[in-house]
Amino acid sequence: MNEPTSRALLERLIGFATVSRDSNLELIEFIREYLAGFGVDSELFHNAEGTKANLFATIGPQDRGGVVLSGHTDVVPVDGQAWTVEPFQLSEHDGRLYGRGTADMKGFIACVLAAVPSLVQRPLQVPVHLAFSYDEEVGCLGVRSMLAELEKRPHKPTLCLIGEPTELKPVLGHKGKLAMRCEVHGAACHSAYAPYGVNAIEYAARLIGHLGEIGARLAQPEHHDARFDPPFSTVQTGVIKGGRALNIVPAECEFDFEVRALPGFDAQRVPDELQRYAAEQLLPKMQAVSAASDIRLHPLSAYPGLATPPDSEAARLLARLCGSSDFGTVAFGTEGGLFDGAGIPTVVCGPGSMDQGHKPDEFVSLEQLHGCDALLQCLADYLCDPG
Protein backbone atom coordinates (compact mmCIF):
# COMPACT_ATOMS: atom_id res chain seq x y z
CA MET A 1 0.00 0.00 0.00
CA ASN A 2 1.66 3.24 -1.19
CA GLU A 3 1.19 6.15 1.20
CA PRO A 4 -2.58 5.86 1.63
CA THR A 5 -4.66 8.66 3.04
CA SER A 6 -6.18 8.63 6.50
CA ARG A 7 -9.59 8.26 4.88
CA ALA A 8 -8.54 5.17 2.93
CA LEU A 9 -7.01 3.62 6.03
CA LEU A 10 -10.11 4.41 8.08
CA GLU A 11 -12.19 2.56 5.50
CA ARG A 12 -10.03 -0.51 6.03
CA LEU A 13 -10.12 -0.24 9.82
CA ILE A 14 -13.91 0.16 9.98
CA GLY A 15 -14.25 -3.08 8.01
CA PHE A 16 -12.89 -5.01 11.00
CA ALA A 17 -15.77 -5.57 13.45
CA THR A 18 -13.60 -5.35 16.56
CA VAL A 19 -16.39 -5.26 19.15
CA SER A 20 -14.84 -5.83 22.58
CA ARG A 21 -16.48 -9.24 22.99
CA ASP A 22 -14.76 -10.44 19.80
CA SER A 23 -11.16 -10.81 18.60
CA ASN A 24 -9.14 -7.91 17.22
CA LEU A 25 -6.43 -10.08 15.69
CA GLU A 26 -7.39 -9.53 12.04
CA LEU A 27 -7.10 -5.77 12.50
CA ILE A 28 -3.83 -6.10 14.42
CA GLU A 29 -2.40 -8.33 11.69
CA PHE A 30 -3.42 -5.76 9.08
CA ILE A 31 -1.60 -3.03 11.01
CA ARG A 32 1.45 -5.26 11.57
CA GLU A 33 1.74 -6.02 7.85
CA TYR A 34 1.14 -2.39 6.93
CA LEU A 35 3.96 -1.23 9.22
CA ALA A 36 6.25 -4.00 7.96
CA GLY A 37 5.73 -2.66 4.45
CA PHE A 38 7.52 0.51 5.59
CA GLY A 39 10.24 -1.37 7.44
CA VAL A 40 8.71 -0.96 10.90
CA ASP A 41 8.74 -3.96 13.23
CA SER A 42 5.92 -4.57 15.72
CA GLU A 43 5.64 -6.33 19.05
CA LEU A 44 2.40 -8.06 20.03
CA PHE A 45 1.14 -8.56 23.59
CA HIS A 46 -1.62 -11.19 23.59
CA ASN A 47 -4.31 -11.86 26.15
CA ALA A 48 -4.21 -15.14 28.08
CA GLU A 49 -6.50 -16.85 25.55
CA GLY A 50 -4.49 -15.68 22.55
CA THR A 51 -7.60 -14.17 20.97
CA LYS A 52 -6.63 -10.48 21.24
CA ALA A 53 -3.44 -8.46 21.14
CA ASN A 54 -1.90 -5.07 21.79
CA LEU A 55 0.59 -3.79 19.21
CA PHE A 56 3.66 -1.69 20.00
CA ALA A 57 6.06 -0.30 17.39
CA THR A 58 8.85 2.27 17.32
CA ILE A 59 9.94 4.59 14.52
CA GLY A 60 13.24 6.42 14.96
CA PRO A 61 16.09 6.02 17.47
CA GLN A 62 15.86 2.98 19.74
CA ASP A 63 18.15 4.28 22.51
CA ARG A 64 15.97 7.00 24.06
CA GLY A 65 12.47 7.71 25.33
CA GLY A 66 10.10 9.30 22.85
CA VAL A 67 6.44 10.06 22.31
CA VAL A 68 3.71 7.41 22.35
CA LEU A 69 0.70 7.73 20.05
CA SER A 70 -1.94 5.57 21.69
CA GLY A 71 -5.33 4.30 20.58
CA HIS A 72 -7.66 1.41 21.35
CA THR A 73 -8.78 -0.93 18.59
CA ASP A 74 -11.99 -2.21 20.17
CA VAL A 75 -15.41 -0.66 19.64
CA VAL A 76 -18.76 -0.90 21.41
CA PRO A 77 -21.57 -3.11 20.04
CA VAL A 78 -24.20 -1.98 17.55
CA ASP A 79 -26.85 -4.41 18.82
CA GLY A 80 -30.28 -2.82 19.17
CA GLN A 81 -29.21 0.48 17.62
CA ALA A 82 -31.11 2.01 14.71
CA TRP A 83 -28.33 2.51 12.17
CA THR A 84 -29.28 3.91 8.76
CA VAL A 85 -25.94 2.81 7.22
CA GLU A 86 -23.88 -0.36 7.52
CA PRO A 87 -21.93 0.09 10.78
CA PHE A 88 -18.86 -1.88 9.65
CA GLN A 89 -18.63 -0.39 6.17
CA LEU A 90 -17.48 3.20 5.78
CA SER A 91 -20.07 5.59 4.30
CA GLU A 92 -19.52 9.20 3.29
CA HIS A 93 -22.24 11.86 3.27
CA ASP A 94 -21.79 15.63 3.26
CA GLY A 95 -18.21 15.56 4.48
CA ARG A 96 -18.90 13.03 7.23
CA LEU A 97 -17.53 9.49 7.43
CA TYR A 98 -19.96 7.07 9.08
CA GLY A 99 -19.23 3.74 10.75
CA ARG A 100 -18.73 2.15 14.15
CA GLY A 101 -15.47 3.45 15.56
CA THR A 102 -15.00 6.37 13.18
CA ALA A 103 -14.89 8.78 16.13
CA ASP A 104 -14.08 6.37 18.96
CA MET A 105 -11.31 5.93 17.93
CA LYS A 106 -10.24 4.40 14.64
CA GLY A 107 -10.14 7.85 13.05
CA PHE A 108 -7.08 8.68 15.12
CA ILE A 109 -5.44 5.32 14.41
CA ALA A 110 -6.00 5.88 10.67
CA CYS A 111 -4.29 9.27 10.87
CA VAL A 112 -1.35 7.77 12.77
CA LEU A 113 -0.95 5.04 10.17
CA ALA A 114 -1.20 7.58 7.35
CA ALA A 115 1.70 9.50 8.95
CA VAL A 116 3.99 6.45 9.01
CA PRO A 117 5.47 6.86 5.48
CA SER A 118 6.53 10.41 6.33
CA LEU A 119 7.82 9.47 9.78
CA VAL A 120 10.09 6.69 8.50
CA GLN A 121 11.63 9.03 5.92
CA ARG A 122 12.37 11.92 8.26
CA PRO A 123 15.49 12.35 10.46
CA LEU A 124 13.76 11.87 13.80
CA GLN A 125 15.85 12.92 16.80
CA VAL A 126 13.17 11.64 19.16
CA PRO A 127 11.39 8.34 18.47
CA VAL A 128 7.67 7.95 18.07
CA HIS A 129 5.99 4.84 19.45
CA LEU A 130 2.67 3.41 18.27
CA ALA A 131 0.61 1.69 20.96
CA PHE A 132 -2.69 0.12 19.91
CA SER A 133 -4.63 -1.76 22.58
CA TYR A 134 -7.60 -4.09 23.05
CA ASP A 135 -10.49 -4.09 25.55
CA GLU A 136 -10.39 -0.40 26.44
CA GLU A 137 -14.17 -0.19 26.25
CA VAL A 138 -14.64 -2.81 28.97
CA GLY A 139 -12.41 -1.29 31.63
CA CYS A 140 -9.06 -0.37 30.00
CA LEU A 141 -8.01 -4.00 30.40
CA GLY A 142 -5.74 -4.80 27.47
CA VAL A 143 -3.21 -1.98 27.70
CA ARG A 144 -2.05 -3.07 31.18
CA SER A 145 0.14 -5.94 29.96
CA MET A 146 1.82 -3.66 27.43
CA LEU A 147 2.48 -0.99 30.06
CA ALA A 148 3.91 -3.58 32.45
CA GLU A 149 6.49 -4.44 29.82
CA LEU A 150 7.31 -0.82 28.97
CA GLU A 151 7.99 -0.08 32.64
CA LYS A 152 10.82 -2.64 32.61
CA ARG A 153 12.66 -1.10 29.69
CA PRO A 154 15.74 1.13 30.03
CA HIS A 155 14.29 3.80 27.73
CA LYS A 156 10.72 4.32 28.81
CA PRO A 157 8.63 6.77 26.71
CA THR A 158 8.63 10.29 28.11
CA LEU A 159 5.19 11.36 26.88
CA CYS A 160 1.94 9.83 25.63
CA LEU A 161 -0.71 11.34 23.36
CA ILE A 162 -4.01 9.44 23.47
CA GLY A 163 -6.13 10.20 20.43
CA GLU A 164 -9.59 9.90 21.95
CA PRO A 165 -12.10 12.21 20.24
CA THR A 166 -11.80 15.75 21.63
CA GLU A 167 -12.49 17.66 18.38
CA LEU A 168 -8.70 18.20 18.36
CA LYS A 169 -8.96 20.35 21.49
CA PRO A 170 -6.19 19.93 24.09
CA VAL A 171 -7.29 17.88 27.11
CA LEU A 172 -5.27 17.30 30.27
CA GLY A 173 -7.70 15.45 32.52
CA HIS A 174 -10.60 13.12 33.07
CA LYS A 175 -12.25 11.28 35.93
CA GLY A 176 -11.39 7.78 37.03
CA LYS A 177 -13.92 4.97 37.27
CA LEU A 178 -14.63 2.13 39.67
CA ALA A 179 -17.33 -0.41 38.74
CA MET A 180 -18.67 -2.74 41.44
CA ARG A 181 -21.24 -5.52 41.83
CA CYS A 182 -23.22 -5.98 45.03
CA GLU A 183 -24.79 -9.39 45.73
CA VAL A 184 -27.53 -9.61 48.35
CA HIS A 185 -28.35 -13.08 49.68
CA GLY A 186 -31.58 -13.36 51.67
CA ALA A 187 -34.04 -16.16 52.43
CA ALA A 188 -37.02 -17.20 50.32
CA CYS A 189 -40.48 -18.07 51.56
CA HIS A 190 -44.13 -17.80 50.44
CA SER A 191 -45.07 -14.16 50.17
CA ALA A 192 -48.02 -14.75 52.48
CA TYR A 193 -45.40 -15.22 55.21
CA ALA A 194 -43.11 -12.42 54.08
CA PRO A 195 -41.88 -11.48 57.60
CA TYR A 196 -40.37 -14.99 57.92
CA GLY A 197 -38.16 -14.47 54.88
CA VAL A 198 -35.35 -12.04 54.06
CA ASN A 199 -36.32 -9.98 51.01
CA ALA A 200 -33.10 -9.50 49.03
CA ILE A 201 -34.67 -6.92 46.73
CA GLU A 202 -35.80 -4.74 49.62
CA TYR A 203 -32.35 -4.83 51.21
CA ALA A 204 -30.76 -4.10 47.84
CA ALA A 205 -33.07 -1.09 47.58
CA ARG A 206 -31.78 0.19 50.93
CA LEU A 207 -28.21 -0.21 49.73
CA ILE A 208 -28.97 1.63 46.50
CA GLY A 209 -30.64 4.38 48.51
CA HIS A 210 -27.52 4.70 50.63
CA LEU A 211 -25.42 5.02 47.47
CA GLY A 212 -27.69 7.89 46.51
CA GLU A 213 -26.98 9.56 49.84
CA ILE A 214 -23.24 9.16 49.29
CA GLY A 215 -23.61 10.69 45.82
CA ALA A 216 -25.55 13.63 47.22
CA ARG A 217 -22.76 14.33 49.72
CA LEU A 218 -20.13 14.21 47.00
CA ALA A 219 -22.15 16.74 45.00
CA GLN A 220 -21.88 19.38 47.73
CA PRO A 221 -20.05 22.55 46.62
CA GLU A 222 -17.04 21.97 48.87
CA HIS A 223 -16.15 18.92 46.78
CA HIS A 224 -16.39 20.66 43.39
CA ASP A 225 -13.62 20.94 40.81
CA ALA A 226 -14.72 23.46 38.17
CA ARG A 227 -12.45 21.89 35.52
CA PHE A 228 -14.87 18.97 35.16
CA ASP A 229 -18.48 18.53 34.04
CA PRO A 230 -20.20 17.62 36.27
CA PRO A 231 -17.75 19.22 38.71
CA PHE A 232 -17.94 16.47 41.34
CA SER A 233 -17.49 12.72 41.73
CA THR A 234 -20.66 10.81 40.88
CA VAL A 235 -22.24 7.53 41.97
CA GLN A 236 -24.90 5.70 39.97
CA THR A 237 -26.56 2.29 39.87
CA GLY A 238 -27.00 0.99 36.33
CA VAL A 239 -28.13 -2.66 36.49
CA ILE A 240 -30.30 -4.62 38.94
CA LYS A 241 -31.51 -8.24 38.86
CA GLY A 242 -33.65 -10.14 41.36
CA GLY A 243 -36.82 -12.07 42.07
CA ARG A 244 -38.55 -15.01 40.41
CA ALA A 245 -42.27 -14.55 41.11
CA LEU A 246 -44.43 -12.06 42.95
CA ASN A 247 -45.61 -14.64 45.46
CA ILE A 248 -42.05 -15.65 46.46
CA VAL A 249 -39.96 -13.53 48.83
CA PRO A 250 -36.77 -13.11 46.74
CA ALA A 251 -33.67 -14.76 48.16
CA GLU A 252 -31.25 -13.18 45.66
CA CYS A 253 -30.67 -9.75 44.20
CA GLU A 254 -27.63 -8.15 42.63
CA PHE A 255 -26.90 -4.72 41.25
CA ASP A 256 -23.99 -3.00 39.55
CA PHE A 257 -22.90 0.52 40.39
CA GLU A 258 -20.09 2.83 39.39
CA VAL A 259 -18.13 5.72 40.83
CA ARG A 260 -16.81 8.38 38.45
CA ALA A 261 -14.12 9.95 40.61
CA LEU A 262 -12.38 13.29 40.33
CA PRO A 263 -8.59 13.01 40.28
CA GLY A 264 -7.48 12.91 43.90
CA PHE A 265 -10.66 11.27 45.19
CA ASP A 266 -10.26 7.63 46.21
CA ALA A 267 -13.24 5.89 44.59
CA GLN A 268 -12.79 2.90 46.91
CA ARG A 269 -14.18 5.04 49.73
CA VAL A 270 -17.66 4.55 48.29
CA PRO A 271 -17.85 0.74 48.39
CA ASP A 272 -16.02 0.79 51.72
CA GLU A 273 -18.72 3.00 53.20
CA LEU A 274 -21.45 0.85 51.64
CA GLN A 275 -19.90 -2.26 53.18
CA ARG A 276 -19.82 -0.60 56.62
CA TYR A 277 -23.46 0.42 56.25
CA ALA A 278 -24.36 -3.13 55.32
CA ALA A 279 -22.43 -4.61 58.27
CA GLU A 280 -23.76 -2.17 60.86
CA GLN A 281 -27.33 -1.47 59.73
CA LEU A 282 -28.57 -4.31 57.52
CA LEU A 283 -26.83 -7.61 58.16
CA PRO A 284 -27.81 -7.84 61.86
CA LYS A 285 -31.50 -7.59 60.88
CA MET A 286 -31.12 -10.02 57.98
CA GLN A 287 -29.20 -12.62 59.96
CA ALA A 288 -31.63 -12.43 62.86
CA VAL A 289 -34.12 -14.07 60.48
CA SER A 290 -31.68 -16.25 58.50
CA ALA A 291 -28.07 -16.73 59.58
CA ALA A 292 -27.09 -17.50 55.98
CA SER A 293 -27.99 -13.99 54.80
CA ASP A 294 -25.11 -11.99 53.39
CA ILE A 295 -24.10 -8.91 51.39
CA ARG A 296 -21.01 -9.14 49.21
CA LEU A 297 -19.23 -6.57 47.06
CA HIS A 298 -17.05 -7.50 44.07
CA PRO A 299 -14.99 -5.19 41.82
CA LEU A 300 -15.79 -5.37 38.10
CA SER A 301 -13.30 -2.92 36.63
CA ALA A 302 -11.38 0.23 37.46
CA TYR A 303 -9.08 2.79 35.92
CA PRO A 304 -7.55 5.94 37.40
CA GLY A 305 -8.27 9.52 36.50
CA LEU A 306 -5.88 11.87 34.78
CA ALA A 307 -4.75 15.36 35.81
CA THR A 308 -1.65 16.43 33.88
CA PRO A 309 -0.30 19.79 35.15
CA PRO A 310 -0.80 22.64 32.67
CA ASP A 311 2.80 23.79 33.19
CA SER A 312 4.27 20.36 32.35
CA GLU A 313 6.39 19.53 29.32
CA ALA A 314 3.58 17.29 28.07
CA ALA A 315 1.09 20.16 28.23
CA ARG A 316 3.48 22.53 26.49
CA LEU A 317 3.95 20.10 23.62
CA LEU A 318 0.20 19.57 23.32
CA ALA A 319 -0.35 23.33 23.17
CA ARG A 320 2.26 23.53 20.40
CA LEU A 321 0.56 20.78 18.40
CA CYS A 322 -2.95 22.21 18.84
CA GLY A 323 -2.00 25.87 18.57
CA SER A 324 -3.86 26.47 21.82
CA SER A 325 -3.21 26.33 25.55
CA ASP A 326 -6.92 26.47 26.35
CA PHE A 327 -6.74 23.13 28.14
CA GLY A 328 -9.89 21.25 29.05
CA THR A 329 -11.11 18.00 30.53
CA VAL A 330 -13.48 15.30 29.29
CA ALA A 331 -16.23 13.42 31.11
CA PHE A 332 -15.36 10.02 29.63
CA GLY A 333 -12.41 7.89 30.69
CA THR A 334 -9.29 6.91 28.78
CA GLU A 335 -6.19 4.78 29.27
CA GLY A 336 -4.39 8.01 30.17
CA GLY A 337 -4.40 7.46 33.92
CA LEU A 338 -2.74 4.07 33.41
CA PHE A 339 0.02 5.53 31.22
CA ASP A 340 0.51 8.32 33.74
CA GLY A 341 0.64 5.79 36.56
CA ALA A 342 3.38 3.96 34.66
CA GLY A 343 5.46 7.14 34.73
CA ILE A 344 4.58 8.33 31.24
CA PRO A 345 3.03 11.85 31.35
CA THR A 346 -0.12 11.82 29.23
CA VAL A 347 -2.37 14.19 27.31
CA VAL A 348 -5.51 13.56 25.25
CA CYS A 349 -6.35 14.96 21.82
CA GLY A 350 -7.94 13.40 18.77
CA PRO A 351 -10.34 13.88 15.86
CA GLY A 352 -14.11 13.67 16.20
CA SER A 353 -16.44 14.13 19.13
CA MET A 354 -17.58 11.70 21.80
CA ASP A 355 -21.05 13.17 21.20
CA GLN A 356 -21.10 10.73 18.28
CA GLY A 357 -19.35 7.87 20.07
CA HIS A 358 -21.35 4.77 21.08
CA LYS A 359 -24.37 6.00 19.09
CA PRO A 360 -26.01 4.79 15.88
CA ASP A 361 -24.63 6.47 12.76
CA GLU A 362 -21.38 7.36 14.52
CA PHE A 363 -19.23 9.64 12.36
CA VAL A 364 -16.10 11.73 12.09
CA SER A 365 -15.80 14.62 9.67
CA LEU A 366 -13.21 14.74 6.92
CA GLU A 367 -12.24 18.16 8.27
CA GLN A 368 -11.37 16.59 11.62
CA LEU A 369 -9.31 13.85 9.95
CA HIS A 370 -7.38 16.42 7.94
CA GLY A 371 -6.82 18.46 11.08
CA CYS A 372 -5.40 15.41 12.83
CA ASP A 373 -3.13 14.73 9.83
CA ALA A 374 -1.78 18.28 10.20
CA LEU A 375 -1.29 17.86 13.95
CA LEU A 376 0.77 14.72 13.41
CA GLN A 377 2.93 16.46 10.81
CA CYS A 378 3.54 19.16 13.40
CA LEU A 379 4.56 16.42 15.82
CA ALA A 380 6.96 15.02 13.21
CA ASP A 381 8.56 18.48 12.93
CA TYR A 382 9.04 18.51 16.70
CA LEU A 383 10.54 15.00 16.71
CA CYS A 384 13.10 16.13 14.14
CA ASP A 385 13.93 19.32 16.06
CA PRO A 386 12.76 19.09 19.68
CA GLY A 387 14.62 22.23 20.66
Side-chain angles (χ1 to χ4, degrees):
M1 192 178 290
N2 296 319
E3 302 196 12
T5 64
S6 52
R7 186 206 181 283
L9 283 159
L10 181 57
E11 185 167 12
R12 292 297 304 273
L13 296 177
I14 294 303
F16 297 102
T18 52
V19 176
S20 302
R21 65 190 174 214
D22 301 320
S23 174
N24 74 333
L25 291 183
E26 288 188 6
L27 179 147
I28 288 293
E29 183 61 20
F30 165 75
I31 294 177
R32 191 192 67 78
E33 291 183 359
Y34 172 84
L35 294 175
F38 295 101
V40 179
D41 294 328
S42 303
E43 297 177 77
L44 301 187
F45 301 88
H46 289 86
N47 64 349
E49 298 77 18
T51 57
K52 301 179 182 182
N54 303 304
L55 181 146
F56 187 80
T58 299
I59 302 172
Q62 304 284 322
D63 61 348
R64 61 202 71 177
V67 177
V68 177
L69 300 177
S70 173
H72 63 82
T73 62
D74 60 318
V75 298
V76 297
V78 299
D79 309 57
Q81 294 187 335
W83 284 73
T84 63
V85 296
E86 288 295 325
F88 297 109
Q89 179 179 319
L90 195 72
S91 304
E92 181 177 349
H93 303 285
D94 299 324
R96 294 175 173 179
L97 302 174
Y98 291 85
R100 173 57 86 224
T102 47
D104 184 21
M105 57 178 295
K106 291 179 177 178
F108 176 74
I109 295 176
C111 291
V112 171
L113 295 178
V116 167
S118 173
L119 289 168
V120 299
Q121 294 170 8
R122 300 192 64 175
L124 302 185
Q125 301 302 303
V126 177
V128 60
H129 310 284
L130 313 185
F132 303 138
S133 65
Y134 66 88
D135 280 1
E136 187 271 351
E137 295 288 5
V138 290
C140 298
L141 303 181
V143 73
R144 297 169 197 252
S145 62
M146 181 162 54
L147 286 174
E149 177 60 30
L150 294 182
E151 286 191 88
K152 301 174 187 176
R153 299 188 174 181
H155 305 293
K156 186 165 60 177
T158 56
L159 189 152
C160 176
L161 169 63
I162 295 183
E164 291 276 8
T166 68
E167 299 180 290
L168 298 175
K169 297 174 183 176
V171 166
L172 299 184
H174 62 74
K175 295 178 181 179
K177 178 183 174 181
L178 173 62
M180 300 287 300
R181 174 164 295 160
C182 179
E183 298 175 351
V184 182
H185 303 276
C189 69
H190 194 292
S191 63
Y193 303 97
Y196 303 133
V198 179
N199 190 313
I201 290 178
E202 291 183 1
Y203 279 100
R206 297 185 194 186
L207 290 161
I208 293 170
H210 192 73
L211 284 173
E213 294 173 7
I214 296 173
R217 292 201 305 271
L218 294 176
Q220 293 300 308
E222 60 266 28
H223 302 304
H224 285 199
D225 184 334
R227 296 175 298 171
F228 294 87
D229 180 23
F232 47 85
S233 300
T234 59
V235 184
Q236 77 100 21
T237 301
V239 177
I240 186 168
K241 301 174 184 177
R244 297 185 178 278
L246 185 57
N247 61 354
I248 302 174
V249 170
E252 306 291 336
C253 185
E254 68 176 36
F255 61 90
D256 298 347
F257 67 95
E258 67 171 20
V259 185
R260 298 275 181 166
L262 291 171
F265 176 73
D266 182 4
Q268 186 60 40
R269 290 170 52 186
V270 174
D272 286 351
E273 178 176 336
L274 190 68
Q275 191 73 72
R276 286 194 301 271
Y277 170 73
E280 296 170 4
Q281 302 294 323
L282 303 184
L283 280 172
K285 298 175 184 177
M286 298 168 67
Q287 292 174 347
V289 177
S290 171
S293 298
D294 202 3
I295 295 171
R296 302 170 193 159
L297 295 176
H298 306 284
L300 298 176
S301 65
Y303 57 76
L306 178 68
T308 299
D311 59 351
S312 64
E313 179 183 349
R316 288 193 291 272
L317 176 56
L318 182 62
R320 174 175 173 173
L321 298 180
C322 295
S324 170
S325 58
D326 185 15
F327 302 121
T329 65
V330 289
F332 56 86
T334 78
E335 296 167 335
L338 294 169
F339 275 93
D340 191 68
I344 305 172
T346 300
V347 295
V348 184
C349 181
S353 169
M354 196 57 86
D355 286 345
Q356 277 74 55
H358 298 202
K359 294 180 180 178
D361 292 352
E362 178 182 350
F363 71 86
V364 67
S365 71
L366 279 167
E367 180 183 14
Q368 284 281 299
L369 279 192
H370 295 157
C372 188
D373 291 335
L375 182 150
L376 292 174
Q377 287 305 310
C378 182
L379 174 64
D381 293 341
Y382 165 81
L383 296 173
C384 292
D385 183 15

